[in-house]
Amino acid sequence: MSGPDQLEHPKHLEAGVPASAGDFLLERRYRLVKRRARLTGEHLLDFGCGNGEQTLFFAADFPFVMGVDITRSSLEAFRAEIDRLGLADRLTALQYDGKELPLPSDSMDAAVSFEVLEHVP
């Protein structure tokens, strides 16, 4: 799916609708990952962060969190929430072109990704 709020990206990357604040699924995922995965370090990447609602759960566990996504409107909503919460010094939302992550190698200590695999072949 493409539209005016998305970068040009490979046709195999289809945009979806991210979960909204208050959705039980967000807290459930967070609890499952926190309990089973050993996410440690200072820098967390949320690949396919959408509107950042899931990403915000992990902000309590990492000093620095970056979310990347292909959809501009979702990232704008995430950035507005980051600003509203006063977390701009700790959270970043970057647009991803669907080809190359805009990050240096080894710049993240851990990564999470939700609702991405169903949008790629």
Side-chain angles (χ1 to χ4, degrees), residues 39-117:
L39 299 178
T40 60
E42 293 194 10
H43 298 86
L44 174 75
L45 172 67
D46 185 356
F47 181 78
C49 68
N51 61 11
E53 294 296 341
Q54 184 73 67
T55 315
L56 290 170
F57 276 85
F58 292 93
D61 301 322
F62 288 85
F64 304 101
V65 178
M66 177 179 292
V68 297
D69 203 276
I70 62 170
T71 307
R72 184 178 303 130
S73 61
S74 292
L75 290 168
E76 287 171 357
F78 185 23
R79 288 182 188 119
E81 189 66 3
I82 289 169
D83 289 341
R84 187 184 75 75
L85 295 170
L87 297 173
D89 59 328
R90 298 185 48 238
L91 271 72
T92 304
L94 287 180
Q95 193 152 14
Y96 168 57
D97 66 5
K99 299 173 189 168
E100 184 120 1
L101 280 174
L103 305 170
S105 294
D106 299 329
S107 62
M108 294 289 138
D109 299 310
V112 294
S113 184
F114 305 96
E115 298 185 26
V116 172
L117 290 178

Side-chain angles (χ1 to χ4, degrees), residues 1-3 5-16 69-72 95-100 119-120:
M1 175 189 289
S2 66
D5 70 337
Q6 293 182 329
L7 288 174
E8 284 291 320
H9 62 276
K11 299 297 180 210
H12 69 278
L13 293 177
E14 292 293 330
D69 203 276
I70 62 170
T71 307
R72 184 178 303 130
Q95 193 152 14
Y96 168 57
D97 66 5
K99 299 173 189 168
E100 184 120 1
H119 300 292
V120 296

Side-chain angles (χ1 to χ4, degrees), residues 3 12 15 21 23 26-27 31-32 36 38 52 62 72 84 98:
H12 69 278
D23 284 356
L26 298 172
E27 184 177 341
R31 284 183 293 143
L32 286 169
R36 299 192 192 280
R38 299 197 189 278
F62 288 85
R72 184 178 303 130
R84 187 184 75 75

